[in-house]
Amino acid sequence: MTQPPDHCTAILTVDLEALVNNYRTLSAAAKTAECAAVVKADAYGVGMDRVAPSLANAGCKTFFVATLDEAIALRGLLPDAAIHMFNGLMPGMEKDLRAHRIVPVLNSLGEIDLWTHFCRWAEKRLPADIHMDTGMNRLGLPLKEQETLFKSLDRLDAIELDMVVSHLACADEIKHSMNREQLRAFEHIRAHIETGRASLANSSGIYLDSGYHFDVARPGCSLYGVNPRPEIPNPMSNVVRLQGRILQVRDVDRGMSVGYGATHEVEKDGKVATIAVGYADGYLRCLGNKAAVFFNDLKAPVVGRVSMDLITIDVTGIPENLLHPGALVDVIGPHNPIDSIAEKAGTIGYEILTSLGARYHRAYTGGVAPVL
Ligand SMILES: *Cc1c(COP(=O)(O)O)cnc(C)c1O
C-alpha cells in the first residue's frame, strides 16, 4: 500500500482480501446454496466500485442492490453479473431495467402486473424476483396477496420468474421463535410456487441451520466484517480500519474540563490529544465519553463530547514517542472493530458502516484494481 499523503488527517483502509475471505467463509457456511452479495448503500459504505469487482473476481455471480441508481452504477462495473434490485418496480423504471439487464424484486401484485404488462409489450419474458412477506411487514406481497396469487398463478405466465425471496426479521437471534415461523411460511409459499429459485437467508440466516439456505443466500453486513452471530466470537475478518491523526497534544490539570458542554472533568493531571475525526465523518456523537481509540494495543478513552471534526482522547500514560502531531491512532481497527463501536453507540454495525464519512482518504488493499 502506498503511504497516504501527509495532509490527510484521517485514513480509511479497506482490506479487500479480508472481504474476499469473508465471502469465502459465508459461501462455505451456505453449503450448497449459491452465495450472492448484497452491495446496496455503496457496499454498506465501504465502496461498491472496489467491493463488487473484487467479489466478482472471487467467483460471486449474483449481486443485490436497493435502488435503480445503484443497479445502473453496478452494471457499469460488472457487465456480466446478475444484478437484482430490492426496492421494487415503480412505473417508469421498466425500460431502464431492461436496458441494463436488472432484475427487479417485485413486492406486490400491482408490481407483478406492471412487469407482466411490460413483458407483453416487449414480447419477451423478462426476469424478475417476487418478494413474499413472511412476517416482517416491510416489503413483499402480504399474506392476502399471496393467497390471491396462488389462485391465479397464470398471472406469472408472461414473466421469467428467477427467485422467490423472503427476508428474516430476527435471524441474528438464533433462538427467536419468529425464525421458525417465517421458515414455515416460506415453505408453505414454495409448496404453491415451485418455479424459480428460493432465497431466504441474509448473513445471520446462513448461520441458522441449513434448512434456511434454499438456493441462494444473500449476505451483506458480514461481508464487511459484522458478526452474523452476536453470541459467539466473530468468524469474519475485519475489513475496515479507520485511523485519525493527532493534531495537538496538551497537558491538562486536575479540575479542568474537556470539550463542548464541559462534560469531562479531568480527575488527575495528565494529557489530552485531539484527533481529526468527528461526527461529520460518521463517528457518532453519542460515542463521546464512551468509546476508545488505540495506539497499537494501548487504549486511550475518548473524553468529552465528539465534535463535528474532532475527538479528544486521554493519552495520560501513552509513551511520549507515540504522541506527536501527525501520529496515527486506530479509531476503528483490530481492537475496536465495527461491532464494538456499534455496541458502545447503542446501534448496530450496519449503521456505523453506512455512516462512514466521505472526507477520509480511502485506501484499498488487496482485491482487484478499480474499473476505469
Ligand atoms: C439488506 C438485505 C440483505 C442483507 O442483509 P444482511 O443482514 O446485511 O446480511 C438481504 N436481504 C434483504 C431483503 C435486504 O434488504
Side-chain angles (χ1 to χ4, degrees):
M1 187 180 98
T2 50
Q3 282 300 309
D6 288 340
H7 70 268
C8 295
T9 49
I11 299 138
L12 184 77
T13 307
V14 175
D15 184 345
L16 295 170
E17 207 171 301
L19 170 91
V20 165
N21 281 338
N22 290 343
Y23 176 72
R24 297 209 167 104
T25 302
L26 289 159
S27 196
K31 307 215 175 81
T32 56
E34 178 191 339
C35 192
V38 180
V39 294
K40 61 194 181 191
D42 198 25
Y44 289 51
V46 170
M48 183 174 77
D49 59 340
R50 300 300 301 271
V51 161
S54 298
L55 291 175
N57 192 52
C60 182
K61 294 183 165 49
T62 305
F63 293 81
F64 286 87
V65 293
T67 69
L68 181 60
D69 288 339
E70 290 173 348
I72 292 172
L74 182 57
R75 177 54 76 213
L77 297 166
L78 301 178
D80 301 322
I83 300 176
H84 299 246
M85 183 189 76
F86 284 133
N87 280 7
L89 180 62
M90 309 263 266
M93 287 181 172
E94 297 91 334
K95 286 185 180 166
D96 280 329
L97 291 170
R98 185 186 189 191
H100 298 280
R101 291 169 287 126
I102 295 155
V103 183
V105 181
L106 306 174
N107 288 316
S108 66
L109 283 179
E111 291 183 19
I112 291 174
D113 292 346
L114 202 57
W115 195 241
T116 295
H117 187 76
F118 182 66
C119 290
R120 295 224 165 97
W121 175 85
E123 296 179 4
K124 193 167 170 27
R125 292 173 71 222
L126 297 165
D129 301 334
I130 297 182
H131 187 157
M132 302 292 203
D133 181 21
T134 50
M136 192 159 173
N137 287 306
R138 190 181 67 170
L139 278 179
L141 274 70
L143 203 56
K144 279 216 174 94
E145 294 198 2
Q146 292 172 27
E147 283 162 2
T148 306
L149 181 62
F150 299 156
K151 288 187 217 131
S152 56
L153 282 171
D154 57 344
R155 266 189 141 97
L156 301 176
D157 285 352
I159 293 176
E160 176 73 35
L161 180 59
D162 186 348
M163 286 187 216
V164 177
V165 170
S166 192
H167 192 47
L168 296 165
C170 307
D172 58 334
E173 296 175 59
I174 204 159
K175 297 214 169 80
H176 203 294
S177 60
M178 187 134 176
N179 294 321
R180 292 240 132 248
E181 286 161 27
Q182 288 195 270
L183 178 61
R184 248 180 258 125
F186 195 59
E187 285 167 344
H188 174 77
I189 290 162
R190 286 304 279 165
H192 283 87
I193 302 184
E194 290 168 333
T195 48
R197 298 177 292 167
S199 176
L200 179 62
N202 64 337
S203 301
S204 300
I206 294 173
Y207 288 85
L208 300 173
D209 68 66
S210 56
Y212 291 81
H213 291 170
F214 294 92
D215 301 308
V216 181
R218 314 184 304 268
C221 68
S222 293
L223 292 167
Y224 314 106
V226 169
N227 190 348
R229 292 186 56 185
E231 78 287 355
I232 58 156
N234 194 353
M236 301 298 144
S237 306
N238 219 28
V239 172
V240 171
R241 182 180 192 189
L242 174 62
Q243 296 163 288
R245 280 196 207 280
I246 294 181
L247 298 179
Q248 207 178 5
V249 182
R250 71 186 64 245
D251 294 320
V252 287
D253 301 333
R254 188 190 138 109
M256 289 178 166
S257 70
V258 179
Y260 283 122
T263 60
H264 175 75
E265 189 175 317
V266 175
E267 275 168 17
K268 54 181 206 278
D269 297 1
K271 278 191 169 61
V272 163
T274 303
I275 310 293
V277 168
Y279 61 75
D281 303 301
Y283 197 78
L284 303 182
R285 188 169 172 276
C286 62
L287 289 166
N289 289 313
K290 281 195 186 141
V293 304
F294 282 82
F295 292 80
N296 301 312
D297 54 1
L298 297 177
K299 185 174 180 175
V302 174
V303 290
R305 285 189 185 153
V306 174
S307 303
M308 187 182 291
D309 319 299
L310 303 167
I311 50 177
T312 34
I313 59 173
D314 183 345
V315 292
T316 314
I318 300 287
E320 203 65 40
N321 64 323
L322 300 174
L323 293 181
H324 54 90
L328 289 167
V329 302
D330 278 328
V331 178
I332 299 172
H335 297 287
N336 47 355
I338 296 288
D339 286 329
S340 82
I341 306 243
E343 196 185 325
K344 291 199 170 69
T347 182
I348 51 176
Y350 303 64
E351 193 179 20
I352 303 296
L353 284 168
T354 56
S355 301
L356 288 171
R359 64 179 168 177
Y360 301 132
H361 174 77
R362 288 191 176 222
Y364 291 84
T365 61
V368 299
V371 179
L372 296 174

